[in-house]
Amino acid sequence: TDGGGDGVTVVGFSVGAASVKKADDAFDFLADPTTASLVDPAISEYVPDSLPMGVGTRNRIRFRLWGLPLRAVSVVRVWEPGHRMVMANERPARPVRAVATHRFDPDGPDRCTYTWQIDFEPTVPLGVVAARLLCRAMRANAAAQQQRFKAEVERRWRSNPR
C-alpha cells in the first residue's frame, strides 16, 4: 500500500492467509522471543526487556539486511493475547518508523488466520525512498516467513495438542 494521512506517505504491505491451529497457540508462538529466528533466519538476536511481553516491552533486535549487520529497538504498542500485537521501532528513528501488526482472526473453532502487516512511515525528507526499499526487501521474504511460521506452529501443536 502507499498512502497515509496528514500528507505523510506510508509504504507497507500485508501478508495473510496462513491458517493455523488455535489463535492462542499462534499468538503464544510469536510472543516467545526464542522463535524469532525460526520465522525469520535474518534475526540473530531478539531480547525483550521483560517477560512475559506486554504493552511497553522494549525488544533489542539484531538482524542482517542486504548482508549488513543491523540493530534495532522496538516497543510493544498493543498486546491483546490471542488476537493482536503491534510493535513499532523506536531506534533507529530515522529514516523511517516501522510498525508491524500481527493479527490472529478466528477461522472456525480450532483455527485462526494469521496476518502480518508492516508499514514504513518516513521520518525525514526523502525517507520515502528508504521506506520503499525496506518495504521491497521485507515483502520479498514475507511469504517464506509465513510458511515457516505455519509449519512450526502446526508442528508444535501436533506434538502438544490441547
Side-chain angles (χ1 to χ4, degrees):
T1 63
D2 229 353
D6 303 325
V8 175
T9 299
V10 176
V11 179
F13 66 91
S14 178
V15 178
S19 180
V20 296
K21 291 285 186 180
K22 300 185 182 182
D24 289 338
D25 292 343
F27 186 96
D28 290 348
F29 176 83
L30 279 184
D32 177 354
T34 66
T35 65
S37 62
L38 294 173
V39 175
D40 187 350
I43 296 174
S44 60
E45 182 178 73
Y46 192 98
V47 181
D49 66 1
S50 64
L51 287 174
M53 294 197 313
V55 172
T57 298
R58 284 179 167 59
N59 303 293
R60 189 178 71 243
I61 307 161
R62 290 179 182 219
F63 60 101
R64 294 187 83 74
L65 183 64
W66 300 305
L68 300 171
L70 301 171
R71 295 177 187 206
V73 174
S74 72
V75 64
V76 176
R77 288 187 176 172
V78 176
W79 193 261
E80 299 168 355
H83 300 286
R84 182 171 68 124
M85 63 176 81
V86 178
M87 299 168 184
N89 75 298
E90 195 172 71
R91 285 189 314 216
R94 295 184 302 265
V96 298
R97 168 132 311 138
V99 178
T101 301
H102 304 271
R103 284 193 329 268
F104 307 84
D105 298 315
D107 186 15
D110 292 328
R111 299 192 74 77
C112 76
T113 298
Y114 166 64
T115 304
W116 178 51
Q117 175 180 330
I118 188 157
D119 294 312
F120 300 95
E121 180 181 327
T123 58
V124 296
L126 298 177
V128 71
V129 174
R132 288 187 176 131
L133 289 171
L134 286 167
C135 185
R136 182 177 297 176
M138 299 287 280
R139 182 183 290 144
N141 193 27
Q145 286 180 1
Q146 285 286 75
Q147 290 171 354
R148 287 188 294 268
F149 169 78
K150 181 177 180 172
E152 189 63 23
V153 169
E154 296 286 332
R155 183 189 71 75
R156 288 181 184 211
W157 183 84
R158 280 191 305 274
S159 66
N160 187 23
R162 288 193 234 170

